[in-house]
Amino acid sequence: MARLWVSWGVAPGQVLGHSVGEYAAAVTAGVFRMEDGLRMLSKLGQLLGGLPFDGRMLAVKATESRVAETLGEGHPGVSVAAVNAPGTVVLVGGATAIDRIGTEFRKAGIRVIPLEVSQATHSPRIAPILAEYRETVRSVRFHPPRIPYISALTGTAMDGEICEPEYWLRHVSEPIQFVTAMRALLARQPPGFVEIGPGSTLLRHGTAVRR
């Protein structure tokens, strides 16, 4: 889809990807070939499919500090998977633990939305597959990005660090910092944004960051 937009003359001045979209952003920026990106994702999907998953993801309509306060009150097995907007945090954990913390938020008048997922990516729960996934990532030939690349993992502009296999292992096992990344993108004062995907969810999140 990104290449189609480029063929129409809409070439990006910088890129930012969310979760799996970061692979597409990397291809668009010339970090690795599309074939290598597909190979990495195919292997990741295969490994994730072999993991038992009894967990869930939950979007919480609260600030990051409010969510951190509740987690600090004692919710083992629950972790932050993404900070998508100033008032939207995604949690991941075992089904029982997610149900318990969801009930607590509802009682406090905070809206929560269960998310349909097949695996608990962006969390420590996928640690068992990282060693095998590292072998696939190490076989890829990386190049520094040809255009500015904003990482949704670190929330900063990346250069050579994006070429390190360890970055892509952290990418699948650590939280998405989309709010921080959007702020870094906005600081560069781009003339506009195009979301490449099936909807406009990220544009809504980005608009919330911009306010």
Side-chain angles (χ1 to χ4, degrees), residues 11-69:
Q14 51 197 331
V15 292
L16 164 63
H18 185 287
S19 191
V20 174
E22 194 151 355
Y23 289 80
V27 170
T28 303
V31 176
F32 45 72
R33 300 179 308 147
M34 179 181 289
E35 292 81 0
D36 286 326
L38 290 172
R39 185 161 56 86
M40 291 164 69
L41 284 174
S42 176
K43 183 63 174 180
L44 180 60
Q46 176 190 347
L47 293 172
L48 289 172
L51 283 176
F53 181 50
D54 61 346
R56 295 178 186 170
M57 278 187 170
L58 189 73
V60 181
K61 294 298 182 176
T63 63
E64 188 177 2
S65 60
R66 178 66 175 83
V67 171
E69 179 184 343

Side-chain angles (χ1 to χ4, degrees), residues 106-119:
R106 289 188 187 96
K107 286 181 178 179
I110 295 172
R111 183 184 176 207
V112 296
I113 306 170
L115 303 179
E116 294 293 332
V117 294
S118 57
Q119 274 300 344

